[in-house]
């Protein structure tokens, strides 16, 4: 029995694994590739040069692979690439990239993306993230692994959100959000570190203690950023187990945009 509903419009030039399920009234364009085990709900439109991996669950009423909302776009074959085991709930809009940047919008693996999420052109989403309802990312935003974005979070273009960071509902990000940091507000301000999330991911007491020390250096002791980074670097001497976490933070801070700065 065919796994493609008879009312679906699937271009014969697209590449769908034989195990892909397609719901009623869905439209799939000629340059689309979808891997094994993925299900696509009803009334979806998947178009453009879009590649979707294995075992994804794409719910009804999604628009994936439409052209970017960028007036400079002139029909270039930019891409949307989605990895494996992602859940994409209703009414999400993921655009392809634009020629002025990477030309690719990408989503990694094992992400949980709730309803009405927008990923603009050239966004990069890592692995194991959670996007609550109505999260909106402007173009060129980077979201690292294990990030949790609260409902109605909005990120300005070119912002980067570090690994294990978390935003509260209705947060507005104009600056880069460092790893581990929890923020809230319009514009967003740092409130704490995502300690509970780290515990759930198996961080040891020593690693969590080092994250607390990083928070103190960045936000509690009124240090300039360069001085805070020196103090964070010194944490590896007394907490060797936390060396990867310290490196993650320092690499992020070194690469933070000088125009936007970081959420403080």
């Amino acid at each position: 029995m065919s796994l493609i509903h008879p009312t679906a419009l699937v271009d014969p030039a697209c590449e769908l694994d034989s195990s892909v399920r397609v719901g009623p009234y869905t439209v799939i364009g000629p340059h689309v590739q979808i891997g094994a085990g993925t299900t696509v709900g009803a009334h979806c439109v998947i178009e453009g040069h879009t590649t979707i991996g294995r075992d994804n669950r794409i719910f009804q009423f999604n628009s994936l692979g439409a052209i970017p909302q960028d007036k400079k776009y002139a029909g270039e074959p930019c891409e949307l690439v989605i990895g494996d085991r992602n859940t994409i709930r209703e009414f999400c809009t993921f655009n392809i990239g634009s020629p002025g940047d990477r030309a690719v919008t990408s989503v990694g693996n094992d992400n949980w993306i709730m309803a009405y999420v927008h990923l603009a052109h050239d966004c990069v989403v890592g692995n194991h993230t959670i996007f609550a309802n109505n999260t909106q990312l402007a173009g060129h935003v980077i979201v690292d692994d294990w990030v949790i974005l609260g409902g109605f979070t909005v990120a300005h273009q070119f912002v980067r959100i570090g690994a294990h960071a978390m935003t509260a509902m209705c947060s507005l990000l104009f600056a880069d959000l460092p790893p581990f940091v929890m923020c809230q507000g319009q514009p967003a301000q740092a409130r704490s570190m995502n300690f509970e999330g780290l515990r759930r991911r198996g961080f040891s007491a020593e690693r969590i203690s080092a994250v607390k020390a990083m928070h103190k250096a960045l936000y509690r002791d009124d240090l300039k950023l360069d001085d805070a980074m020196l103090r964070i670097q010194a944490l590896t001497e007394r907490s060797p187990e936390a060396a990867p976490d310290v490196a993650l933070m320092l690499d992020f801070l070194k690469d933070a945009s000088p125009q936007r700065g970081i959420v403080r």
Side-chain angles (χ1 to χ4, degrees):
M1 183 176 65
S2 174
L3 302 180
I4 299 174
H5 194 275
T7 62
L9 299 178
V10 179
D11 194 287
C14 72
E15 299 180 26
L16 270 58
D17 185 87
S18 60
S19 62
V20 171
R21 293 180 178 271
V22 180
Y25 303 105
T26 281
V27 179
I28 297 180
H31 304 296
V32 174
Q33 302 177 42
I34 304 180
T38 291
T39 61
V40 181
H43 296 277
C44 293
V45 177
I46 305 178
E47 56 187 309
H49 289 79
T50 296
T51 301
I52 300 173
R54 301 173 60 93
D55 300 317
N56 296 282
R57 297 177 65 203
I58 301 169
F59 283 69
Q60 57 268 25
F61 302 108
N62 281 289
S63 173
L64 306 178
I67 65 172
Q69 297 176 113
D70 182 347
K71 293 175 71 175
K72 300 185 297 297
Y73 180 75
E76 295 87 350
C78 300
E79 297 180 74
L80 169 66
V81 178
I82 299 173
D84 303 331
R85 299 176 303 279
N86 297 289
T87 294
I88 302 172
R89 294 302 303 246
E90 300 84 355
F91 298 101
C92 292
T93 53
F94 297 0
N95 295 158
I96 60 173
S98 67
D101 190 16
R102 305 171 60 250
V104 179
T105 303
S106 62
V107 178
N109 304 320
D110 302 295
N111 297 289
W112 184 265
I113 299 175
M114 300 185 201
Y116 293 95
V117 168
H118 176 64
L119 302 185
H121 59 85
D122 304 290
C123 284
V124 179
V125 176
N127 307 307
H128 303 286
T129 67
I130 298 174
F131 287 29
N133 297 326
N134 288 282
T135 295
Q136 308 287 298
L137 303 188
H140 316 279
V141 170
I142 298 174
V143 180
D144 292 336
D145 296 347
W146 297 104
V147 165
I148 300 175
L149 299 180
F152 295 89
T153 292
V154 177
H156 190 273
Q157 61 188 19
F158 293 102
V159 157
R160 182 181 177 190
I161 303 172
H164 305 284
M166 183 175 181
T167 67
M169 183 178 68
C170 297
S171 295
L172 177 55
L173 290 166
F174 287 119
D176 293 349
L177 181 63
F180 312 111
V181 174
M182 294 178 65
C183 73
Q184 179 269 334
Q186 299 179 349
Q189 294 181 314
R191 303 301 184 189
S192 183
M193 295 295 210
N194 187 15
F195 299 122
E196 182 58 32
L198 300 181
R199 293 187 188 98
R200 292 179 181 182
R201 289 168 210 141
F203 275 56
S204 67
E206 180 180 358
R207 294 176 69 188
I208 291 174
S209 178
V211 171
K212 290 180 180 179
M214 287 191 275
H215 178 261
K216 190 171 185 292
L218 278 174
Y219 297 108
R220 295 296 180 89
D221 288 349
D222 198 27
L223 298 175
K224 293 181 179 179
L225 183 58
D226 288 344
D227 294 332
M229 291 173 67
L230 289 173
R231 184 180 292 183
I232 291 169
Q233 176 65 56
L235 291 173
T236 56
E237 298 176 7
R238 65 173 186 266
S239 301
E241 186 180 341
D245 308 317
V246 170
L248 180 69
M249 178 64 81
L250 291 175
D251 289 344
F252 185 97
L253 296 175
K254 289 173 185 175
D255 291 339
S257 167
Q259 290 79 28
R260 291 182 307 278
I262 64 169
V263 172
R264 294 299 294 266

